């Protein structure tokens, strides 16, 4: 099968599509024939060496939508099931940017019924990160939340999920994104922060600069593990380490089918053009995910 990998660090040009054996599922695993797989900033970080892994092949891709093609005695899954999943891992030899991927059955959920595989592939990583970050914050209906980077894929999910919980959401983004952010459910909008909120979900990775916008004793959650700022004024600070969770992903799929969550695709690329997709990601300015199609 074909798979996008890196064997050395650098820019988009180091991404190569290689031929490798089709992986076989072990007990409790499923093999998914990939229909679509999103490209995320984490893939660019792996490609550039931000997370280590020198002198080894690193597979790219964390999100997948596709069809169960084989099972390793995995309860609850049958050949032909349409699924989505998160393939976690900074230093795995193969990722979801491939024709097939093998994953633990517990990380898999039935695909949304109301969208195609390309759109569905944008859900797992960013939506799971958003919902797990909100869980850390432990906000209750009526409390206030500032989401930085609210127009991005992660921030957009955070806005929608928080608003669905009855939280008063303000989005921080560029002025040109105000209409988009409000359409996602934000009741407030800012381009420069300020104010006083019960919590900040820092999808834009502002770090310490976001702390003055949190009330004394409030909460901050970042999206880069172990990179949260130190606590001040009793503000609880943490960072979410996203984890695969098929049951939670199934809840998010239900919210897609109910129209609560919006899936945004910026552009699609063939798997063989993975390096071009990385180059487009590096250009920035995307409002939605790039998606690779084998």
């Amino acid at each position: 099968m074909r798979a996008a990998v890196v064997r050395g660090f650098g820019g988009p040009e180091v991404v190569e599509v290689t031929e490798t054996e089709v992986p076989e599922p072990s007990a409790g695993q499923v093999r998914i024939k990939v229909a679509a797989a999103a490209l995320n900033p984490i893939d660019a970080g792996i490609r550039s060496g931000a997370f280590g892994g020198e002198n080894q092949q690193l597979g790219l891709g964390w999100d997948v939508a596709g069809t169960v093609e084989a099972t390793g005695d995995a309860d609850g899954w049958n050949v032909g099931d349409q699924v989505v999943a998160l393939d976690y891992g900074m230093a795995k030899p193969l990722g979801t940017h491939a024709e097939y991927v093998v994953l633990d059955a517990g990380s898999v959920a039935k695909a949304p019924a109301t969208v195609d595989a390309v759109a569905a592939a944008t859900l797992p990583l960013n939506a799971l990160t958003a919902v797990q970050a909100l869980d850390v914050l432990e906000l209750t209906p009526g409390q206030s939340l500032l989401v930085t980077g609210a127009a991005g894929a992660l921030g957009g999910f955070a806005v929608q999920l928080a608003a669905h919980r009855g939280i008063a959401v303000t989005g921080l983004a560029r002025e040109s994104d105000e209409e988009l952010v409000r359409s996602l459910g934000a009741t407030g909008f800012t381009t420069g922060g300020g104010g006083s909120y019960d919590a900040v979900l820092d999808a834009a990775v502002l770090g310490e600069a976001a702390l003055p916008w949190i009330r004394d004793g409030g909460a901050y959650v970042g999206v880069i593990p172990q990179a949260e700022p130190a606590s001040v004024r009793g503000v609880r600070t943490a960072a979410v380490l996203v984890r695969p969770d098929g049951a939670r992903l199934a809840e998010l799929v239900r919210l897609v089918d109910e129209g609560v969550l919006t899936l945004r695709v910026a552009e699609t690329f063939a798997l063989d053009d993975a390096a071009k997709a990385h180059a487009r990601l590096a250009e920035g300015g995307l409002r939605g995910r790039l998606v690779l199609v084998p």
Side-chain angles (χ1 to χ4, degrees), residues 114-176:
T114 54
V115 299
D116 64 14
V118 171
T122 68
L123 179 69
L125 174 59
N126 290 286
L128 278 171
T129 302
V131 76
Q132 291 171 11
L134 288 170
D135 290 346
V136 170
L137 291 175
E138 299 180 324
L139 295 174
T140 56
Q143 287 192 288
S144 59
L145 171 69
L146 177 68
V147 176
T148 71
L154 169 57
F157 283 135
V159 170
Q160 291 186 306
L161 289 165
H164 185 63
R165 295 183 179 190
I167 296 164
V169 185
T170 296
L172 188 156
R174 293 184 295 192
E175 184 177 355
S176 59

Tab-separated table of all heavy atoms in Angstrom, residues 114-176:
chain	number	residue	atom	x	y	z
A	114	THR	N	-24.749	11.951	7.973
A	114	THR	CA	-25.229	13.125	7.243
A	114	THR	C	-24.165	13.828	6.416
A	114	THR	O	-24.456	14.819	5.752
A	114	THR	CB	-25.816	14.140	8.239
A	114	THR	OG1	-24.829	14.430	9.246
A	114	THR	CG2	-27.068	13.583	8.913
A	115	VAL	N	-22.910	13.334	6.469
A	115	VAL	CA	-21.831	13.965	5.715
A	115	VAL	C	-21.012	12.884	5.030
A	115	VAL	O	-21.077	11.706	5.391
A	115	VAL	CB	-20.907	14.815	6.618
A	115	VAL	CG1	-21.679	15.937	7.296
A	115	VAL	CG2	-20.215	13.934	7.665
A	116	ASP	N	-20.219	13.282	4.036
A	116	ASP	CA	-19.377	12.308	3.348
A	116	ASP	C	-18.083	12.071	4.120
A	116	ASP	O	-17.811	12.713	5.140
A	116	ASP	CB	-19.115	12.738	1.911
A	116	ASP	CG	-18.324	14.030	1.793
A	116	ASP	OD1	-17.732	14.483	2.799
A	116	ASP	OD2	-18.296	14.611	0.682
A	117	ALA	N	-17.282	11.127	3.624
A	117	ALA	CA	-16.065	10.740	4.330
A	117	ALA	C	-15.058	11.879	4.405
A	117	ALA	O	-14.328	12.011	5.399
A	117	ALA	CB	-15.433	9.526	3.648
A	118	VAL	N	-14.992	12.712	3.382
A	118	VAL	CA	-14.044	13.830	3.395
A	118	VAL	C	-14.347	14.768	4.559
A	118	VAL	O	-13.453	15.168	5.314
A	118	VAL	CB	-14.068	14.579	2.049
A	118	VAL	CG1	-13.266	15.870	2.135
A	118	VAL	CG2	-13.503	13.691	0.945
A	119	ALA	N	-15.602	15.123	4.733
A	119	ALA	CA	-15.978	15.978	5.859
A	119	ALA	C	-15.787	15.250	7.187
A	119	ALA	O	-15.275	15.814	8.157
A	119	ALA	CB	-17.421	16.444	5.703
A	120	ALA	N	-16.185	13.978	7.245
A	120	ALA	CA	-16.080	13.209	8.487
A	120	ALA	C	-14.645	13.108	8.974
A	120	ALA	O	-14.382	13.063	10.187
A	120	ALA	CB	-16.665	11.817	8.282
A	121	ALA	N	-13.688	13.112	8.046
A	121	ALA	CA	-12.280	12.988	8.419
A	121	ALA	C	-11.758	14.191	9.182
A	121	ALA	O	-10.682	14.125	9.778
A	121	ALA	CB	-11.429	12.763	7.167
A	122	THR	N	-12.489	15.294	9.182
A	122	THR	CA	-12.044	16.483	9.916
A	122	THR	C	-12.483	16.464	11.373
A	122	THR	O	-12.122	17.376	12.130
A	122	THR	CB	-12.588	17.761	9.260
A	122	THR	OG1	-14.025	17.814	9.424
A	122	THR	CG2	-12.258	17.815	7.778
A	123	LEU	N	-13.230	15.459	11.786
A	123	LEU	CA	-13.824	15.462	13.128
A	123	LEU	C	-12.917	14.972	14.255
A	123	LEU	O	-12.797	15.673	15.278
A	123	LEU	CB	-15.117	14.630	13.112
A	123	LEU	CG	-15.862	14.517	14.453
A	123	LEU	CD1	-16.469	15.864	14.835
A	123	LEU	CD2	-16.931	13.434	14.373
A	124	PRO	N	-12.273	13.792	14.166
A	124	PRO	CA	-11.753	13.158	15.387
A	124	PRO	C	-10.759	13.965	16.202
A	124	PRO	O	-10.998	14.218	17.398
A	124	PRO	CB	-11.121	11.864	14.847
A	124	PRO	CG	-11.901	11.557	13.610
A	124	PRO	CD	-12.161	12.902	12.992
A	125	LEU	N	-9.633	14.369	15.639
A	125	LEU	CA	-8.593	15.012	16.437
A	125	LEU	C	-9.064	16.322	17.051
A	125	LEU	O	-8.948	16.541	18.264
A	125	LEU	CB	-7.341	15.258	15.585
A	125	LEU	CG	-6.221	16.059	16.276
A	125	LEU	CD1	-5.741	15.364	17.530
A	125	LEU	CD2	-5.073	16.307	15.312
A	126	ASN	N	-9.597	17.204	16.240
A	126	ASN	CA	-9.927	18.536	16.740
A	126	ASN	C	-11.144	18.534	17.651
A	126	ASN	O	-11.170	19.238	18.670
A	126	ASN	CB	-10.118	19.487	15.560
A	126	ASN	CG	-8.810	19.774	14.854
A	126	ASN	OD1	-7.970	20.514	15.344
A	126	ASN	ND2	-8.613	19.168	13.702
A	127	ALA	N	-12.159	17.758	17.326
A	127	ALA	CA	-13.343	17.724	18.173
A	127	ALA	C	-13.062	17.024	19.499
A	127	ALA	O	-13.540	17.457	20.556
A	127	ALA	CB	-14.498	17.059	17.448
A	128	LEU	N	-12.295	15.924	19.456
A	128	LEU	CA	-11.940	15.263	20.715
A	128	LEU	C	-11.068	16.162	21.590
A	128	LEU	O	-11.250	16.214	22.809
A	128	LEU	CB	-11.211	13.945	20.430
A	128	LEU	CG	-12.086	12.742	20.098
A	128	LEU	CD1	-11.228	11.572	19.629
A	128	LEU	CD2	-12.936	12.326	21.291
A	129	THR	N	-10.138	16.884	20.988
A	129	THR	CA	-9.323	17.827	21.770
A	129	THR	C	-10.201	18.884	22.402
A	129	THR	O	-10.048	19.223	23.591
A	129	THR	CB	-8.261	18.482	20.882
A	129	THR	OG1	-7.435	17.480	20.290
A	129	THR	CG2	-7.382	19.428	21.689
A	130	ALA	N	-11.152	19.415	21.639
A	130	ALA	CA	-12.027	20.465	22.158
A	130	ALA	C	-12.880	19.963	23.309
A	130	ALA	O	-12.980	20.622	24.358
A	130	ALA	CB	-12.911	21.006	21.036
A	131	VAL	N	-13.496	18.808	23.152
A	131	VAL	CA	-14.391	18.323	24.207
A	131	VAL	C	-13.592	17.904	25.434
A	131	VAL	O	-14.043	18.116	26.579
A	131	VAL	CB	-15.287	17.177	23.685
A	131	VAL	CG1	-14.544	15.856	23.570
A	131	VAL	CG2	-16.516	17.023	24.568
A	132	GLN	N	-12.418	17.338	25.258
A	132	GLN	CA	-11.605	16.961	26.412
A	132	GLN	C	-11.060	18.192	27.129
A	132	GLN	O	-10.911	18.190	28.355
A	132	GLN	CB	-10.498	16.007	25.972
A	132	GLN	CG	-11.044	14.637	25.563
A	132	GLN	CD	-10.022	13.721	24.911
A	132	GLN	OE1	-8.807	13.994	24.923
A	132	GLN	NE2	-10.481	12.619	24.330
A	133	ALA	N	-10.782	19.265	26.383
A	133	ALA	CA	-10.372	20.525	27.019
A	133	ALA	C	-11.516	21.123	27.829
A	133	ALA	O	-11.317	21.614	28.952
A	133	ALA	CB	-9.895	21.516	25.962
A	134	LEU	N	-12.713	21.085	27.293
A	134	LEU	CA	-13.870	21.587	28.035
A	134	LEU	C	-14.113	20.763	29.291
A	134	LEU	O	-14.502	21.310	30.337
A	134	LEU	CB	-15.118	21.583	27.149
A	134	LEU	CG	-15.145	22.645	26.048
A	134	LEU	CD1	-16.308	22.392	25.099
A	134	LEU	CD2	-15.254	24.052	26.649
A	135	ASP	N	-13.886	19.472	29.222
A	135	ASP	CA	-14.023	18.629	30.409
A	135	ASP	C	-13.064	19.078	31.506
A	135	ASP	O	-13.413	19.090	32.692
A	135	ASP	CB	-13.752	17.168	30.054
A	135	ASP	CG	-14.829	16.546	29.190
A	135	ASP	OD1	-15.923	17.138	29.079
A	135	ASP	OD2	-14.573	15.468	28.617
A	136	VAL	N	-11.846	19.442	31.123
A	136	VAL	CA	-10.851	19.902	32.102
A	136	VAL	C	-11.321	21.189	32.785
A	136	VAL	O	-11.148	21.377	33.981
A	136	VAL	CB	-9.484	20.107	31.424
A	136	VAL	CG1	-8.501	20.806	32.365
A	136	VAL	CG2	-8.907	18.776	30.957
A	137	LEU	N	-11.941	22.075	32.008
A	137	LEU	CA	-12.373	23.363	32.558
A	137	LEU	C	-13.544	23.225	33.528
A	137	LEU	O	-13.702	24.051	34.427
A	137	LEU	CB	-12.763	24.315	31.421
A	137	LEU	CG	-11.603	24.794	30.550
A	137	LEU	CD1	-12.127	25.634	29.391
A	137	LEU	CD2	-10.604	25.601	31.368
A	138	GLU	N	-14.377	22.232	33.356
A	138	GLU	CA	-15.495	21.948	34.270
A	138	GLU	C	-16.434	23.137	34.417
A	138	GLU	O	-16.906	23.451	35.517
A	138	GLU	CB	-14.971	21.511	35.646
A	138	GLU	CG	-14.131	20.243	35.606
A	138	GLU	CD	-13.629	19.831	36.975
A	138	GLU	OE1	-13.311	20.730	37.799
A	138	GLU	OE2	-13.555	18.619	37.237
A	139	LEU	N	-16.742	23.821	33.329
A	139	LEU	CA	-17.653	24.965	33.389
A	139	LEU	C	-19.105	24.480	33.453
A	139	LEU	O	-19.445	23.398	32.969
A	139	LEU	CB	-17.463	25.852	32.162
A	139	LEU	CG	-16.103	26.527	32.037
A	139	LEU	CD1	-15.988	27.260	30.703
A	139	LEU	CD2	-15.868	27.487	33.191
A	140	THR	N	-19.946	25.301	34.045
A	140	THR	CA	-21.371	25.003	34.153
A	140	THR	C	-22.159	26.020	33.338
A	140	THR	O	-21.650	27.113	33.021
A	140	THR	CB	-21.826	25.038	35.617
A	140	THR	OG1	-21.504	26.321	36.173
A	140	THR	CG2	-21.132	23.953	36.434
A	141	PRO	N	-23.389	25.694	32.970
A	141	PRO	CA	-24.203	26.625	32.177
A	141	PRO	C	-24.256	28.009	32.813
A	141	PRO	O	-24.423	28.149	34.026
A	141	PRO	CB	-25.581	25.962	32.163
A	141	PRO	CG	-25.277	24.502	32.271
A	141	PRO	CD	-24.109	24.418	33.203
A	142	GLY	N	-24.077	29.031	31.955
A	142	GLY	CA	-24.106	30.407	32.418
A	142	GLY	C	-22.746	30.999	32.699
A	142	GLY	O	-22.589	32.222	32.752
A	143	GLN	N	-21.736	30.141	32.901
A	143	GLN	CA	-20.391	30.665	33.102
A	143	GLN	C	-19.830	31.157	31.765
A	143	GLN	O	-20.341	30.836	30.690
A	143	GLN	CB	-19.478	29.601	33.711
A	143	GLN	CG	-19.776	29.327	35.177
A	143	GLN	CD	-18.682	28.496	35.826
A	143	GLN	OE1	-18.553	27.301	35.545
A	143	GLN	NE2	-17.891	29.105	36.697
A	144	SER	N	-18.753	31.939	31.845
A	144	SER	CA	-18.209	32.586	30.645
A	144	SER	C	-16.892	31.957	30.235
A	144	SER	O	-16.062	31.587	31.068
A	144	SER	CB	-18.007	34.082	30.898
A	144	SER	OG	-17.124	34.304	31.992
A	145	LEU	N	-16.702	31.852	28.924
A	145	LEU	CA	-15.506	31.239	28.353
A	145	LEU	C	-15.021	32.072	27.187
A	145	LEU	O	-15.803	32.450	26.305
A	145	LEU	CB	-15.829	29.823	27.861
A	145	LEU	CG	-14.738	29.107	27.042
A	145	LEU	CD1	-13.548	28.756	27.922
A	145	LEU	CD2	-15.298	27.855	26.377
A	146	LEU	N	-13.717	32.339	27.156
A	146	LEU	CA	-13.070	32.933	25.991
A	146	LEU	C	-12.333	31.830	25.250
A	146	LEU	O	-11.509	31.116	25.832
A	146	LEU	CB	-12.078	34.018	26.409
A	146	LEU	CG	-11.279	34.655	25.261
A	146	LEU	CD1	-12.188	35.491	24.360
A	146	LEU	CD2	-10.117	35.501	25.798
A	147	VAL	N	-12.635	31.666	23.962
A	147	VAL	CA	-11.926	30.713	23.110
A	147	VAL	C	-11.018	31.503	22.185
A	147	VAL	O	-11.491	32.298	21.361
A	147	VAL	CB	-12.907	29.860	22.277
A	147	VAL	CG1	-12.131	28.950	21.327
A	147	VAL	CG2	-13.815	29.044	23.186
A	148	THR	N	-9.704	31.325	22.327
A	148	THR	CA	-8.777	31.973	21.406
A	148	THR	C	-8.655	31.109	20.150
A	148	THR	O	-8.847	29.900	20.186
A	148	THR	CB	-7.389	32.175	22.037
A	148	THR	OG1	-6.736	30.903	22.166
A	148	THR	CG2	-7.504	32.828	23.416
A	149	GLY	N	-8.344	31.751	19.027
A	149	GLY	CA	-8.285	31.000	17.777
A	149	GLY	C	-9.636	30.419	17.421
A	149	GLY	O	-9.742	29.308	16.897
A	150	ALA	N	-10.699	31.184	17.669
A	150	ALA	CA	-12.060	30.659	17.579
A	150	ALA	C	-12.502	30.342	16.158
A	150	ALA	O	-13.490	29.632	15.963
A	150	ALA	CB	-13.040	31.645	18.214
A	151	ALA	N	-11.810	30.864	15.157
A	151	ALA	CA	-12.188	30.588	13.770
A	151	ALA	C	-11.516	29.344	13.208
A	151	ALA	O	-11.879	28.880	12.133
A	151	ALA	CB	-11.849	31.781	12.874
A	152	GLY	N	-10.542	28.794	13.935
A	152	GLY	CA	-9.839	27.613	13.466
A	152	GLY	C	-10.645	26.344	13.681
A	152	GLY	O	-11.744	26.364	14.250
A	153	ALA	N	-10.094	25.224	13.249
A	153	ALA	CA	-10.812	23.951	13.362
A	153	ALA	C	-11.050	23.573	14.817
A	153	ALA	O	-12.184	23.264	15.213
A	153	ALA	CB	-10.027	22.857	12.646
A	154	LEU	N	-10.020	23.614	15.634
A	154	LEU	CA	-10.153	23.280	17.048
A	154	LEU	C	-11.001	24.316	17.771
A	154	LEU	O	-11.937	23.980	18.507
A	154	LEU	CB	-8.764	23.174	17.681
A	154	LEU	CG	-8.693	23.085	19.201
A	154	LEU	CD1	-9.502	21.909	19.721
A	154	LEU	CD2	-7.239	22.969	19.653
A	155	GLY	N	-10.678	25.599	17.566
A	155	GLY	CA	-11.427	26.654	18.238
A	155	GLY	C	-12.889	26.661	17.856
A	155	GLY	O	-13.770	26.904	18.691
A	156	GLY	N	-13.173	26.387	16.578
A	156	GLY	CA	-14.555	26.363	16.133
A	156	GLY	C	-15.359	25.275	16.814
A	156	GLY	O	-16.507	25.491	17.230
A	157	PHE	N	-14.778	24.078	16.951
A	157	PHE	CA	-15.456	23.014	17.683
A	157	PHE	C	-15.666	23.404	19.140
A	157	PHE	O	-16.718	23.123	19.729
A	157	PHE	CB	-14.655	21.711	17.611
A	157	PHE	CG	-14.768	20.983	16.305
A	157	PHE	CD1	-13.641	20.459	15.695
A	157	PHE	CD2	-15.994	20.792	15.689
A	157	PHE	CE1	-13.725	19.761	14.497
A	157	PHE	CE2	-16.096	20.096	14.486
A	157	PHE	CZ	-14.963	19.582	13.890
A	158	ALA	N	-14.655	24.049	19.753
A	158	ALA	CA	-14.779	24.455	21.145
A	158	ALA	C	-15.929	25.446	21.332
A	158	ALA	O	-16.699	25.352	22.295
A	158	ALA	CB	-13.465	25.070	21.636
A	159	VAL	N	-16.058	26.398	20.408
A	159	VAL	CA	-17.155	27.362	20.478
A	159	VAL	C	-18.493	26.637	20.399
A	159	VAL	O	-19.407	26.865	21.212
A	159	VAL	CB	-17.042	28.409	19.352
A	159	VAL	CG1	-18.311	29.250	19.268
A	159	VAL	CG2	-15.824	29.309	19.583
A	160	GLN	N	-18.640	25.753	19.433
A	160	GLN	CA	-19.916	25.061	19.256
A	160	GLN	C	-20.251	24.162	20.432
A	160	GLN	O	-21.401	24.135	20.905
A	160	GLN	CB	-19.883	24.247	17.957
A	160	GLN	CG	-19.874	25.115	16.706
A	160	GLN	CD	-19.977	24.289	15.430
A	160	GLN	OE1	-19.200	23.376	15.217
A	160	GLN	NE2	-20.945	24.623	14.588
A	161	LEU	N	-19.280	23.416	20.929
A	161	LEU	CA	-19.537	22.510	22.041
A	161	LEU	C	-19.858	23.265	23.323
A	161	LEU	O	-20.758	22.868	24.075
A	161	LEU	CB	-18.323	21.598	22.256
A	161	LEU	CG	-18.105	20.532	21.179
A	161	LEU	CD1	-16.703	19.938	21.294
A	161	LEU	CD2	-19.149	19.439	21.286
A	162	ALA	N	-19.123	24.364	23.572
A	162	ALA	CA	-19.391	25.150	24.780
A	162	ALA	C	-20.761	25.805	24.713
A	162	ALA	O	-21.520	25.794	25.689
A	162	ALA	CB	-18.300	26.200	24.967
A	163	ALA	N	-21.102	26.378	23.568
A	163	ALA	CA	-22.414	26.998	23.419
A	163	ALA	C	-23.521	25.970	23.601
A	163	ALA	O	-24.563	26.258	24.208
A	163	ALA	CB	-22.517	27.667	22.052
A	164	HIS	N	-23.297	24.751	23.102
A	164	HIS	CA	-24.287	23.682	23.247
A	164	HIS	C	-24.492	23.315	24.714
A	164	HIS	O	-25.586	22.872	25.103
A	164	HIS	CB	-23.828	22.459	22.455
A	164	HIS	CG	-24.806	21.333	22.434
A	164	HIS	ND1	-26.056	21.437	21.865
A	164	HIS	CD2	-24.717	20.052	22.918
A	164	HIS	CE1	-26.707	20.287	21.990
A	164	HIS	NE2	-25.908	19.440	22.626
A	165	ARG	N	-23.477	23.532	25.544
A	165	ARG	CA	-23.579	23.254	26.980
A	165	ARG	C	-24.180	24.416	27.760
A	165	ARG	O	-24.301	24.336	28.978
A	165	ARG	CB	-22.193	22.933	27.542
A	165	ARG	CG	-21.565	21.660	26.996
A	165	ARG	CD	-20.231	21.387	27.663
A	165	ARG	NE	-19.614	20.161	27.178
A	165	ARG	CZ	-18.542	19.593	27.731
A	165	ARG	NH1	-17.959	20.155	28.790
A	165	ARG	NH2	-18.047	18.460	27.239
A	166	GLY	N	-24.529	25.486	27.077
A	166	GLY	CA	-25.104	26.631	27.770
A	166	GLY	C	-24.100	27.592	28.350
A	166	GLY	O	-24.439	28.450	29.178
A	167	ILE	N	-22.866	27.500	27.913
A	167	ILE	CA	-21.805	28.395	28.371
A	167	ILE	C	-21.815	29.653	27.508
A	167	ILE	O	-22.044	29.588	26.301
A	167	ILE	CB	-20.444	27.672	28.289
A	167	ILE	CG1	-20.433	26.475	29.245
A	167	ILE	CG2	-19.287	28.614	28.590
A	167	ILE	CD1	-19.315	25.487	28.970
A	168	ALA	N	-21.574	30.800	28.115
A	168	ALA	CA	-21.525	32.073	27.390
A	168	ALA	C	-20.146	32.213	26.756
A	168	ALA	O	-19.155	32.471	27.446
A	168	ALA	CB	-21.793	33.234	28.335
A	169	VAL	N	-20.083	32.053	25.436
A	169	VAL	CA	-18.803	31.973	24.730
A	169	VAL	C	-18.477	33.286	24.030
A	169	VAL	O	-19.318	33.844	23.313
A	169	VAL	CB	-18.818	30.842	23.686
A	169	VAL	CG1	-17.432	30.689	23.053
A	169	VAL	CG2	-19.266	29.529	24.306
A	170	THR	N	-17.243	33.740	24.225
A	170	THR	CA	-16.691	34.834	23.431
A	170	THR	C	-15.553	34.267	22.602
A	170	THR	O	-14.712	33.514	23.112
A	170	THR	CB	-16.173	35.967	24.328
A	170	THR	OG1	-17.265	36.545	25.045
A	170	THR	CG2	-15.492	37.063	23.497
A	171	GLY	N	-15.525	34.595	21.330
A	171	GLY	CA	-14.469	34.113	20.454
A	171	GLY	C	-13.449	35.191	20.165
A	171	GLY	O	-13.808	36.346	19.905
A	172	LEU	N	-12.187	34.834	20.218
A	172	LEU	CA	-11.096	35.734	19.837
A	172	LEU	C	-10.569	35.275	18.478
A	172	LEU	O	-10.150	34.130	18.316
A	172	LEU	CB	-9.984	35.713	20.878
A	172	LEU	CG	-8.848	36.738	20.714
A	172	LEU	CD1	-8.175	37.013	22.060
A	172	LEU	CD2	-7.792	36.290	19.711
A	173	ALA	N	-10.623	36.171	17.507
A	173	ALA	CA	-10.149	35.853	16.159
A	173	ALA	C	-9.915	37.157	15.409
A	173	ALA	O	-10.077	38.251	15.967
A	173	ALA	CB	-11.173	34.983	15.421
A	174	ARG	N	-9.551	37.043	14.151
A	174	ARG	CA	-9.365	38.236	13.340
A	174	ARG	C	-10.713	38.883	13.042
A	174	ARG	O	-11.744	38.199	12.989
A	174	ARG	CB	-8.646	37.879	12.042
A	174	ARG	CG	-7.209	37.424	12.246
A	174	ARG	CD	-6.505	37.173	10.936
A	174	ARG	NE	-7.089	36.053	10.198
A	174	ARG	CZ	-6.518	35.483	9.142
A	174	ARG	NH1	-5.354	35.935	8.706
A	174	ARG	NH2	-7.104	34.478	8.533
A	175	GLU	N	-10.674	40.188	12.820
A	175	GLU	CA	-11.910	40.925	12.584
A	175	GLU	C	-12.731	40.333	11.444
A	175	GLU	O	-13.961	40.272	11.504
A	175	GLU	CB	-11.579	42.393	12.284
A	175	GLU	CG	-12.800	43.292	12.120
A	175	GLU	CD	-12.419	44.743	11.906
A	175	GLU	OE1	-11.212	45.059	11.975
A	175	GLU	OE2	-13.332	45.556	11.670
A	176	SER	N	-12.051	39.865	10.403
A	176	SER	CA	-12.751	39.324	9.246
A	176	SER	C	-13.485	38.020	9.554
A	176	SER	O	-14.308	37.559	8.756
A	176	SER	CB	-11.766	39.087	8.095
A	176	SER	OG	-10.739	38.185	8.496
